[in-house]
Amino acid sequence: QVDLVESGGGSVQAGGSLRLSCTISKTKNLCLGWARQSPGKRREGVGTIYTGGGDERYDDSVKGRFTIFLNEAKTNLYLEMNNLKPEDTAMYYCAAARAPCGDYPERYTYSGQGTQVTVSS
């Protein structure tokens, strides 16, 4: 069992920034990621990172604007979001799965309760 708790959501204007945080109960050999879901839409992957090292992966819709990273102790996962757009409005979920796994955080075994991000134009 991996417990995940997100925080940091809120409301911002377009062009603004937010940083989401996720505390992780266990981090060894995990694929970690962020996914998001808007009302009436399917959950979609935002990006992934592997605790064992390697490059992060991002969905094309957020490349160059969002950054995923871990703290040094690998107990917290972050999503730095810059130049936010109204279409980024969604519930954001931290997700985890035992490695090996693909770059599909929306399908990962474990996820948190989510944190809401609202971007106004």
Side-chain angles (χ1 to χ4, degrees):
Q1 178 67 30
V2 180
D3 296 319
L4 307 165
V5 180
E6 305 96 336
S7 63
S11 298
V12 296
Q13 289 191 323
S17 299
L18 280 174
R19 177 182 289 187
L20 305 184
S21 301
C22 175
T23 58
I24 312 162
S25 62
K26 301 174 184 176
T27 59
K28 187 176 181 180
N29 294 331
L30 285 181
C31 299
L32 298 170
W34 290 92
R36 64 186 181 185
Q37 187 168 19
S38 303
K41 294 186 177 181
R42 302 174 78 172
R43 191 171 296 192
E44 62 178 9
V46 173
T48 56
I49 189 169
Y50 175 50
T51 58
D55 295 334
E56 306 87 65
R57 302 286 181 93
Y58 299 95
D59 184 79
D60 287 344
S61 64
V62 304
K63 277 182 183 176
R65 300 188 298 122
F66 290 12
T67 304
I68 292 175
F69 61 99
L70 287 160
N71 66 341
E72 189 170 344
K74 297 184 181 179
T75 56
N76 293 80
L77 177 71
Y78 298 94
L79 179 66
E80 182 77 29
M81 305 184 293
N82 296 313
N83 191 22
L84 282 160
K85 303 176 180 181
E87 50 264 43
D88 294 318
T89 295
M91 185 72 78
Y92 282 72
Y93 298 91
C94 178
R98 300 288 182 192
C101 40
D103 295 323
Y104 305 104
E106 68 274 23
R107 303 180 195 172
Y108 284 178
T109 307
Y110 308 102
S111 69
Q113 295 300 307
T115 185
Q116 179 67 36
V117 172
T118 302
V119 185
S120 58
S121 58

